[in-house]
Structures are given as C-alpha cells and as structure tokens.
Amino acid sequence: MGSLERFKIDLKGQTEENASYEFGLEKDYFDAIEATEVKGGKLQATLDVQKRAGVYELNFHIEGDATVVCDLCLDDLQQPVSTDSRLVVRLGDRYSDDDDVITIPAEEGTLDVSWLMYEMIALAIPTRHVHPEGECNPAMLERIGEMSIHEEDHAESDPRWKDLEKLKSTIKE
C-alpha cells in the first residue's frame, strides 16, 4: 500500500502567490486510495494554486487513461480521461465543504487533494463502461449467452408468463 502523504498541500505555508504541483497517478496511487470504481491507470495531474485575498484558487488538470471494469465482460477497460476542475479553499475555524468553497482549519493549513482528484477522475468517466463493439472477451460473452434466460424459457418454467403474453396481446389489439 502506497502513501498519500505527497498529496497534502500546505496552503498555510505557501509563500508565493502562485504554486504548481505535478502528480503521476499510477498503480501505487490507486492502491493507496482504495477505491472500487477506478481500479488503476496512468494519469498525469497538474495543480495550480493561486493565493488571493484570504482564499486559494485550485485549478486541476488531469489527463491519461483510467482502468475500469467492463460492465459486459468484466475484463479491464482503458478509459481516456481529460478533465479540468476548479476549487476555492479558505482557512477557517473548522473543516467544511459548503457549495463551491472548502474551508480547512487554519491551525492545520493543509489540504489532502488525493480523494478530490480521484472524484474528478471518476466523474470524468462515462457511467457505462463497455468495450467497443467486438473487443469484449468472447469467452465471457458466450458464457453470458448460455446463462441468459430467453422468453421461451420463461413460459416453460412459470405458467404466469403465458398469462402475461395473453395480456400483452390483448393490449396491442
């Protein structure tokens, strides 16, 4: 299990008006984050922090390929990701995540961006994860076809299906 310590940004200690960070998001990151939707990947994240009048504007850009599970064949699927996000952070009395502004305790002054970046990646991936036509695992597709229940099978296994078919025919007429 990797460490997420490198994703903690010391805002309180930022002396410059602008600061930039770069992160490689690979196997060690995804193992450490312990999330289930995105299994892995190879992404590059850049974070620009601008300090302005008591608030910090964080601009993220994340690009690369994320590994998810295909909803159909359950094999790994490489999903391209390109996302930009903006967050505003301020120092305050206690942690709060209201609307578009995150408040972190002033005595701490650090913000862990590891989970924030994971959420940005997950939101950039389409809801349906399926290989392009013809690229799914053929053995798995065959097995799914064998296990699928066809309409004819319903009628044989449960007589209520015949009654539903009659009702469906009546409604069509």
Side-chain angles (χ1 to χ4, degrees):
M1 169 124 27
S3 171
L4 297 173
E5 197 62 35
R6 65 189 173 116
F7 297 99
K8 292 184 178 178
I9 307 299
D10 183 10
L11 297 175
K12 187 176 175 180
Q14 183 174 329
T15 56
E16 301 293 320
E17 213 170 276
N18 297 315
S20 292
Y21 302 88
E22 289 195 18
F23 304 101
L25 308 177
E26 296 185 11
K27 183 179 176 8
D28 61 331
Y29 166 75
F30 290 100
D31 288 347
I33 205 85
E34 296 180 356
T36 55
E37 186 176 343
V38 181
K39 293 176 43 177
K42 187 171 184 167
L43 297 109
Q44 187 64 34
T46 56
L47 167 60
D48 293 319
V49 180
Q50 297 176 343
K51 183 178 178 181
R52 296 185 178 147
V55 298
Y56 300 85
E57 185 178 312
L58 283 66
N59 291 296
F60 294 86
H61 176 74
I62 303 172
E63 197 162 343
D65 291 317
T67 305
V68 295
V69 175
C70 176
D71 294 338
L72 191 55
C73 72
L74 304 178
D75 278 357
D76 285 349
L77 167 66
Q78 297 303 312
Q79 188 70 51
V81 171
S82 181
T83 185
D84 293 299
S85 296
R86 178 184 168 273
L87 291 173
V88 176
V89 179
R90 67 182 175 105
L91 302 178
D93 295 331
R94 60 185 163 75
Y95 181 85
S96 120
D97 189 358
D98 300 324
D99 298 325
D100 294 332
V101 179
I102 296 174
T103 304
I104 58 173
E107 65 271 0
E108 275 182 38
T110 60
L111 177 67
D112 185 347
V113 296
S114 60
W115 188 255
L116 295 170
M117 289 193 297
Y118 176 81
E119 288 178 336
M120 291 171 197
I121 294 166
L123 289 171
I125 296 173
T127 306
R128 188 165 187 257
H129 315 133
V130 180
H131 286 102
E133 185 72 34
E135 291 185 25
C136 276
N137 181 334
M140 182 60 89
L141 293 179
E142 183 178 324
R143 183 75 175 135
I144 290 169
E146 291 170 2
M147 300 303 289
S148 295
I149 297 176
H150 302 287
E151 282 188 35
E152 310 84 54
D153 297 337
H154 285 298
E156 292 174 16
S157 64
D158 188 343
R160 292 178 291 181
W161 286 105
K162 288 180 185 175
D163 293 337
L164 288 173
E165 283 298 321
K166 287 179 194 173
L167 180 62
K168 193 165 112 178
S169 298
T170 306
I171 293 172
K172 283 183 183 177
E173 296 170 355

